[in-house]
Amino acid sequence: MTRRITMQAAAAYWAKITGTPRPHRGTLIRWATKGVRGVRLVAEPIAGRWYTTSDAIEDFHRRMPRPAMTCSDPTVFTTRAAQVERAVGELDQMLARRPAGRRAN
């Protein structure tokens, strides 16, 4: 049988296994009640306090959806950077053509 842990301890365990900053215990409660893209953390309230298990944390981490911003093609980011650079250049030209004494309304 796996031992129950508080959400405070679960937050510390999450930080340990993921290498990310410790989430607030309220975040873990939200993961248990609302889930993340359809995946919920197994937890239960007992006498007004929420508890989960280390196994449940590991299972949630394994099932949690990965970020959608994964792209192995570096040209996508290079192209976007070039678009931004062009837009900044165009704005600089527009500002340079404005009369010096004129204020924007």
Side-chain angles (χ1 to χ4, degrees):
M1 181 172 143
T2 305
R3 208 176 124 202
R4 288 187 200 114
I5 57 175
T6 64
M7 288 302 190
Q8 194 70 25
Y13 187 66
W14 177 267
K16 179 182 172 187
I17 67 170
T18 63
T20 59
R22 178 196 294 217
H24 190 273
R25 65 182 174 78
T27 301
L28 275 78
I29 294 169
R30 185 177 64 249
W31 290 347
T33 57
K34 298 181 189 246
V36 177
R37 295 187 185 139
V39 179
R40 287 187 181 190
L41 171 64
V42 176
E44 62 183 343
I46 300 173
R49 292 187 71 175
W50 281 84
Y51 293 89
T52 188
T53 64
S54 57
D55 290 343
I57 294 286
E58 291 171 8
D59 184 53
F60 178 75
H61 180 254
R62 208 173 15 261
R63 293 181 301 123
M64 190 174 195
R66 298 294 172 234
M69 185 74 179
T70 55
C71 181
S72 60
D73 184 9
T75 60
V76 169
F77 300 109
T78 306
T79 303
R80 182 66 180 149
Q83 290 172 343
V84 169
E85 199 61 39
R86 275 195 303 275
V88 168
E90 290 171 11
L91 286 172
D92 285 342
Q93 289 175 359
M94 286 172 49
L95 291 173
R97 288 191 300 248
R98 266 184 42 190
R102 188 171 171 197
R103 293 176 61 189
N105 292 343

